[in-house]
């Protein structure tokens, strides 16, 4: 079965940077879309950034210009570079990958932005 494992979360100061990674295992086939979601306490899970197999990207308005999503298809890995972090970015970040109609989720990694 496919498994997604996130890494790179932690505590950073406002204005700082973090780089999240999500490595998928269990399949030799490339995924279609890969994406990052986040969920803050008391809020719905929201899409942060998405990248297609062809490299097309889409970002939430709240992170445009600050976050960059990228992928390495040979490694089945997706990254999220987060710059100029704000306290409002504090959330659990989840990796998502889709193969045909089947979605897969990582376990989540905590990102806390605080002074």
């Amino acid at each position: 079965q496919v498994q997604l494992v996130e890494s790179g979360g932690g505590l950073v100061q406002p204005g700082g940077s973090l780089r999240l990674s999500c490595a998928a295992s269990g399949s030799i086939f490339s995924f279609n879309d890969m994406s990052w979601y986040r969920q803050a306490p008391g809020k719905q899970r929201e899409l942060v950034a998405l990248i297609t197999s062809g490299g097309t990207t889409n970002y939430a308005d709240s992170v445009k210009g600050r976050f960059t999503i990228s992928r390495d298809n040979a490694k089945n890995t997706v990254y999220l570079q987060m710059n100029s972090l704000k306290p409002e970015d504090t959330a659990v970040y989840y990796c998502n990958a889709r193969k045909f109609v089947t979605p897969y989720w990582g376990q989540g990694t905590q990102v806390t932005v605080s002074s």
Side-chain angles (χ1 to χ4, degrees):
Q1 185 69 25
V2 172
Q3 290 185 299
L4 276 59
V5 180
E6 300 107 330
S7 62
L11 174 65
V12 296
Q13 293 183 327
S17 297
L18 280 176
R19 182 177 173 86
L20 305 183
S21 299
C22 173
S25 62
S27 176
I28 64 171
F29 301 107
S30 297
F31 291 99
N32 300 109
D33 303 332
M34 300 188 78
S35 59
W36 289 94
Y37 287 73
R38 68 185 182 187
Q39 187 167 25
K43 292 193 173 184
Q44 299 269 62
R45 187 173 298 185
E46 64 176 343
L47 176 66
V48 177
L50 180 148
I51 185 167
T52 69
S53 60
T56 301
T57 59
N58 188 268
Y59 298 92
D61 288 341
S62 59
V63 307
K64 284 181 180 178
R66 300 188 296 120
F67 291 10
T68 303
I69 188 171
S70 60
R71 65 190 289 170
D72 185 335
N73 290 331
K75 297 180 179 179
N76 272 341
T77 300
V78 63
Y79 307 93
L80 185 67
Q81 178 66 47
M82 305 186 294
N83 299 326
S84 301
L85 283 162
K86 305 175 180 179
E88 307 93 270
D89 297 316
T90 296
V92 177
Y93 284 71
Y94 297 90
C95 177
N96 176 270
R98 180 175 65 85
K99 186 181 291 294
F100 299 110
V101 300
T102 304
Y104 300 92
W105 292 94
Q107 81 290 343
T109 185
Q110 178 71 49
V111 172
T112 302
V113 185
S114 176
S115 59

